[in-house]
Amino acid sequence: MKSHRVFLAGLSSILCLSCAAPLPRPPADYLQQLWQTRESTLLPIQHWELRGRLAVRADERGGQASLTWKRDAAQHSIRLNGPLGRGVVRVTQDETGAQLQDAEQRVFHAASAEELLYRYTGWRLPLTNLNYWVRGVPVPDLPATRELDDAGRLKVLRQQGWEVQYQEYVRFEAHELPNRLTLTYAPDQASLELPAMEVRLVIDRWAQVQ
């Protein structure tokens, strides 16, 4: 009886060790194939709607807002509601430029939504790049380094001085899309155009992705 208990205890220990052992990481070539398939599927997407929450911190300043972003090909409509946007702010952009309307119905114009938001809120958010990063792909034709997770998805992306960490993905219809990511910008001594900045984006809902 004692030997039987010893045997069971040993077997239990072996099983626990096997349960605790992490699965081996898939081969790099396989992950690269998964990534290439993902990138070729996500890059052509030009229509979406997302709703989420945005938090920004730079130097001693911080702000947050709810976010609704609708894209229809070259037309973008971004709505911010909260202290970050100084109330409700709606920004639209198309091939002709960008327009911002604030809570007092005042209208401002600029060449891009990124430039408008900076002028109005003081936050230089990388909206042009986020157009790609929010889908989980790098901006095409720009230098980038990336790290993949075990599913061949972006885990960390470094591009144009920003580091984008992808913490979570969610499946929406045929796509796996980011729903939690953190962007950090740490300028070097040679380029101090922007202060150090951290942007956290939580996407609560994707819709109309095609």
Side-chain angles (χ1 to χ4, degrees):
M1 192 69 177
K2 181 178 179 181
S3 61
H4 181 65
R5 288 196 299 268
V6 171
F7 171 76
L8 289 177
L11 180 60
S12 176
S13 298
I14 294 172
L15 289 175
C16 288
L17 287 173
S18 64
C19 291
L23 293 174
R25 182 172 169 83
D29 290 347
Y30 176 69
L31 292 178
Q32 182 64 24
Q33 291 175 5
L34 290 178
W35 163 247
Q36 290 174 350
T37 300
R38 282 185 55 81
E39 187 177 34
S40 64
T41 301
L42 295 172
L43 270 177
I45 293 174
Q46 297 190 42
H47 307 267
W48 72 69
E49 177 181 340
L50 66 84
R51 299 175 186 270
R53 293 158 286 149
L54 188 68
V56 183
R57 180 170 296 279
D59 297 328
E60 300 300 320
R61 297 190 303 147
Q64 56 188 347
S66 62
L67 167 71
T68 300
W69 185 348
K70 297 181 181 179
R71 179 186 177 184
D72 185 7
Q75 296 183 348
H76 295 260
S77 175
I78 299 172
R79 184 176 185 272
L80 293 170
N81 186 0
L84 175 64
R86 296 166 59 184
V88 178
V89 173
R90 184 171 181 266
V91 182
T92 56
Q93 179 175 312
D94 57 22
E95 299 96 331
T96 64
Q99 174 180 296
L100 182 149
Q101 181 176 317
D102 67 8
E104 300 175 6
Q105 306 303 309
R106 296 179 300 175
V107 177
F108 306 87
H109 298 271
S112 69
E114 191 169 321
E115 181 181 348
L116 265 180
L117 276 178
Y118 175 63
R119 289 183 184 178
Y120 187 78
T121 68
W123 298 104
R124 191 177 290 279
L125 301 176
L127 291 178
T128 303
N129 291 347
L130 264 176
N131 180 41
Y132 294 92
W133 296 346
V134 78
R135 284 176 270 167
V137 292
V139 181
D141 303 322
L142 290 178
T145 60
R146 52 180 169 75
E147 299 175 19
L148 302 179
D149 64 14
D150 290 353
R153 305 169 302 193
L154 279 183
K155 181 179 181 181
V156 180
L157 171 66
R158 299 177 182 90
Q159 192 169 40
Q160 289 202 306
W162 288 86
E163 179 178 281
V164 186
Q165 297 183 19
Y166 293 85
Q167 284 102 5
E168 289 182 8
Y169 286 82
V170 64
R171 176 163 290 279
F172 177 78
E173 296 180 349
H175 305 289
E176 271 190 309
L177 297 165
N179 71 326
R180 188 180 295 270
L181 52 158
T182 299
L183 295 73
T184 54
Y185 182 83
D188 56 30
Q189 294 301 314
S191 176
L192 297 175
E193 296 180 5
L194 293 177
M197 183 181 294
E198 179 183 86
V199 181
R200 294 181 180 271
L201 176 59
V202 176
I203 300 171
D204 298 316
R205 179 175 178 268
W206 282 95
Q208 302 178 13
V209 177
Q210 52 185 303

